[in-house]
Amino acid sequence: MKTSRTLVALATTMLAAASLTACSGDATADADGNTIVKVGTLKGQPHLYAPYFYEENAPEGVTFEIVTFDTSPDIKNAVVSGSIDFGVAGVPSAISGASAGQDVVVVAAAADGGSGIIGKEGLEGVESLAGLKVGYPKGSSQEILLRMTLDQAGMDADSDVELVNLPFSDMASALAAGRIDAFSSAELGPSTALQSGAVQVASPYETPVGKVNIGLYTTGALIDEDPELVQDVVDAHIAATEHMADDPADWAAGVVDTFGIDAAVVDTAVTNIWPRWEIDAEYTDQVTALIGQMAGLKQIESEPDVATLIDTTFVDAHASS
């Protein structure tokens, strides 16, 4: 497969010139008449990097523009509003949107993992967190993973540790400064802290939620309007995630080149991320467990139907082709 270096530069140039008119409704086209598909992702996140490999896998007549956001809810809202056509973002945001009655549908997995329960040197095992200050991003999947991991050890997150709500970007620096003793957060926080001498306290993946984290989603309206386009995008997404899994060195180098992040941190992070596209029974069960936990924590008012939230039509069609 071709390297992504030139294509990353192209995607960045296209982003700067991109309008935010969605192709569902009033399709936009480039100078050559290709349909422009706008895909949202997060800035500087290796587990959401797949869209940077879409262009080299684009089918004839389709070109991609990458639009970056600060949070997964921002991506979800842009998908729902029609500002972008697809989003690679956290599954909890799609769950929240569906719970609120928004038109959001997961059409492929994107990456598992990307989380960590990290602490100061000397901590070992979740039990060692008793009585300590533990950072977490409120309302995130990492909060759920922390609570479930503590619960499995017979500990109560609200009484056995002191929870400190912090932004994702502040976790590693707060730990280094001694403001917290440990944290549960998403990459690149865990890898940044590990590079500075912190330790992994416990695995966040040993709960019924497992490693489920990032998905590719769009709207039911676009699925109904142009299923062939959705299939084209899913096929490009599948090729991108398979390339990331097969060539993590190129994936990591692309993240470093695109965002200027320290290579050692990125190299550590990619070992904690598992690119994927398949939606199997285990994945659906993990999303179901995530929905239940979000409802229990009052992060959502009602539990969306998993069969409506997740549409396997396009990954199934790819697998059988």
Side-chain angles (χ1 to χ4, degrees):
M1 183 177 290
K2 295 181 292 184
T3 181
S4 65
R5 302 298 175 270
T6 301
L7 295 167
V8 167
L10 173 63
T12 302
T13 301
M14 293 172 70
L15 170 60
S19 70
L20 291 178
T21 303
C23 73
S24 57
D26 296 320
T28 58
D30 64 15
D32 297 321
N34 296 311
T35 298
I36 299 172
V37 177
K38 296 180 177 64
V39 183
T41 187
L42 294 183
K43 301 173 183 176
Q45 302 297 318
H47 45 308
L48 293 96
Y49 194 74
Y52 288 91
F53 290 109
Y54 285 6
E55 188 66 26
E56 63 190 86
N57 297 291
E60 184 177 356
V62 174
T63 190
F64 291 98
E65 289 182 357
I66 300 170
V67 184
T68 58
F69 296 83
D70 293 323
T71 71
S72 284
D74 289 341
I75 296 174
K76 180 264 298 178
N77 290 336
V79 169
V80 170
S81 71
S83 295
I84 60 176
D85 308 299
F86 292 81
V88 172
V91 172
S93 293
I95 293 170
S96 295
S99 174
Q102 294 179 315
D103 182 13
V104 56
V105 181
V106 177
V107 291
D112 285 346
S115 299
I117 301 176
I118 306 298
K120 62 186 180 182
E121 188 176 1
L123 296 179
E124 183 177 358
V126 69
E127 296 87 354
S128 67
L129 298 178
L132 301 183
K133 293 181 179 180
V134 181
Y136 77 110
K138 187 173 179 61
S140 68
S141 58
Q142 286 75 32
E143 176 187 2
I144 291 171
L145 294 174
L146 173 63
R147 288 180 176 276
M148 295 180 75
T149 301
L150 288 165
D151 182 69
Q152 288 185 163
M155 300 172 67
D156 187 329
D158 295 312
S159 60
D160 291 328
V161 301
E162 182 180 346
L163 294 176
V164 181
N165 181 25
L166 292 171
F168 288 102
S169 58
D170 289 354
M171 295 294 177
S173 60
L175 180 64
R179 298 196 304 272
I180 55 176
D181 302 296
F183 65 78
S184 177
S185 189
E187 296 291 359
L188 294 162
S191 292
T192 300
L194 290 171
Q195 286 295 314
S196 298
V199 298
Q200 178 173 297
V201 177
S203 170
Y205 306 131
E206 306 302 322
T207 78
V209 172
K211 296 177 180 176
V212 67
N213 192 359
I214 309 301
L216 171 68
Y217 41 86
T218 186
T219 63
L222 181 56
I223 291 171
D224 292 340
E225 178 184 329
D226 199 343
E228 291 184 2
L229 178 64
V230 176
Q231 187 68 63
D232 284 342
V233 174
V234 170
D235 289 344
H237 173 77
I238 289 171
T241 57
E242 288 184 340
H243 173 62
M244 290 165 65
D246 292 342
D247 193 350
D250 189 54
W251 164 28
V255 175
V256 172
D257 290 349
T258 304
F259 300 112
I261 301 169
D262 180 80
V265 171
V266 175
D267 288 343
T268 301
V270 299
T271 66
N272 186 36
I273 301 165
W274 295 265
R276 66 171 294 168
W277 56 270
E278 303 92 342
I279 298 177
D280 54 18
E282 181 183 35
Y283 184 89
T284 302
D285 288 345
Q286 290 173 347
V287 173
T288 300
L290 181 58
I291 290 172
Q293 290 295 316
M294 292 178 69
L297 292 173
K298 307 300 182 185
Q299 294 179 1
I300 54 176
E301 293 186 4
S302 62
E303 298 188 22
D305 181 6
V306 175
T308 302
L309 173 68
I310 298 176
D311 187 340
T312 66
T313 300
F314 305 99
V315 293
D316 290 346
H318 182 93
S320 63
S321 64

